[in-house]
Amino acid sequence: MTPVQEIAIPVLFIWLLAETAWDLKDRNIPRGFSVVPLAAGLIHLAWVGHWPAAVLMIFSILGTNIAGRWRYAVAVAPVVVLAFLPGMLPLAIGWSLLYLAWELGWFGGADALAGAYLLVWFPGWEMLVGMVMGILIWNMGMVMLRYG
């Protein structure tokens, strides 16, 4: 773990708490909540030598803003290449799952981008597994609260 990542852990935790509070209050999260940590994470990813992964993630994320059929190809093609870069398979799988959940309407865009910036900052299996487990536990809790 780089020294910058060690600093990023509490900062991202506080950022996610603020983002969650805003989401609970308004349900319309400003783009800055996702863009700021995502941009910082992409810069860090490039800085530590994974600049091809950072560029591919930029193209994939920007591709989600394209209207029409080309959107899927532009968003997914960079992720396929990303999967073959050394050490980037967890990032590729994680972003693919987040993007799919976003497209299916299971997550909002801010939720998917929050997951993306966590994976960009920490593109390892630990983060991917932690996110999947967190989402499962959260959803199980919500089901139990709703249905007893």
Side-chain angles (χ1 to χ4, degrees), residues 2 4 40-51 54:
T2 68
V4 175
L42 290 166
I43 290 167
H44 178 262
L45 191 64
W47 183 262
V48 296
H50 296 293
W51 65 267

Side-chain angles (χ1 to χ4, degrees), residues 103-133:
E103 285 293 336
L104 293 174
W106 299 347
F107 287 172
D111 298 323
L113 289 175
Y117 68 69
L118 289 174
L119 285 165
V120 165
W121 273 102
F122 304 97
W125 291 108
E126 298 87 357
M127 180 57 76
L128 179 57
V129 170
M131 286 174 50
V132 169
M133 294 304 295

Side-chain angles (χ1 to χ4, degrees), residues 52-112:
V55 170
L56 289 167
M57 281 298 293
I58 289 168
F59 280 118
S60 179
I61 291 168
L62 289 176
T64 64
N65 293 309
I66 296 172
R69 290 184 289 187
W70 287 103
R71 171 168 133 170
Y72 307 114
V74 174
V76 173
V79 179
V80 172
V81 176
L82 180 67
F84 290 98
L85 294 178
M88 293 296 125
L89 185 58
L91 175 58
I93 291 171
W95 173 237
S96 297
L97 293 173
L98 290 164
Y99 177 61
L100 178 64
W102 182 5
E103 285 293 336
L104 293 174
W106 299 347
F107 287 172
D111 298 323

